[in-house]
Amino acid sequence: MSYIILAVLFFLSGFFMKLSDDACDVGDDKSLAIALGLLCAITSAFATVSSASAAYIFIGILIGNLLALKVDGIHHIITLVLFVLISLIMGIPELSVVILLICIFSALLDEVGHELISNLTENKFLNYFFEYRCAMKVAIFLLAVCGVFNIFFFVLFILFEFAYLVAGSISENGLFKKSRI
């Protein structure tokens, strides 16, 4: 699969992931959250089956979020089921358990740290690090520097994160606000 197509898939996956969460959490619209979650599942599953590096990233995010108990709505469950079905039907690339565990642990650390660190410390560095979920970014960067991933997958992950932030900004600016009629 070309890097351009992978870039589009990573971007759309991050974008739809955040919009799905916000449709449910902010807009209280489960149907829209499910529809956006399905789009996230499709884009991330197609990236997953196209490359072992993408598979490490997306499976790491999925299992890390499962372990952090962040799969907590019907939209998450439906998204997870579709992601798993597409990935299994199309075939997941062969993966190293050690590399997958690094990705899972870094995603889990991001989720737990994001929720808890500001309650545990006033350290600005740690608060910033976990507010912007930097553990997985660092892990993927180090795996790329060590030659496990092509450095382009670090760039793709940053693109995924950028899309997530863009979608969050769109949500914060009123996309899911209910009318007061």
Side-chain angles (χ1 to χ4, degrees), residues 49-126:
V49 301
S50 70
S51 156
S53 296
Y56 285 122
I57 292 167
F58 286 111
I59 294 170
I61 292 169
L62 172 68
I63 296 174
N65 277 275
L66 272 169
L67 294 173
L69 305 176
K70 297 294 239 166
V71 178
D72 58 1
I74 188 69
H75 63 297
H76 289 148
I77 294 166
I78 292 171
T79 300
L80 178 140
V81 169
L82 182 60
F83 173 83
V84 169
L85 284 174
I86 292 171
S87 297
L88 291 176
I89 290 168
M90 294 185 71
I92 298 170
E94 187 174 326
L95 303 176
S96 158
V97 173
V98 173
I99 303 303
L100 184 58
L101 287 173
I102 291 169
C103 291
I104 292 167
F105 179 73
S106 65
L108 176 61
L109 186 60
D110 276 340
E111 292 304 321
V112 172
H114 183 76
E115 295 295 322
L116 297 179
I117 201 70
S118 64
N119 298 325
L120 301 175
T121 184
E122 292 182 23
N123 181 295
K124 290 183 190 287
F125 173 77
L126 287 176

Side-chain angles (χ1 to χ4, degrees), residues 8-70:
V8 169
L9 292 172
F10 268 75
F11 183 89
L12 291 175
S13 179
F15 190 77
F16 292 137
M17 183 179 293
K18 180 61 175 168
L19 286 183
S20 174
D21 279 348
D22 286 354
C24 185
D25 297 341
V26 177
D28 198 29
D29 188 338
K30 290 189 184 357
S31 296
L32 182 58
I34 290 168
L36 292 164
L38 293 174
L39 292 171
C40 175
I42 291 166
T43 55
S44 57
F46 275 100
T48 295
V49 301
S50 70
S51 156
S53 296
Y56 285 122
I57 292 167
F58 286 111
I59 294 170
I61 292 169
L62 172 68
I63 296 174
N65 277 275
L66 272 169
L67 294 173
L69 305 176
K70 297 294 239 166

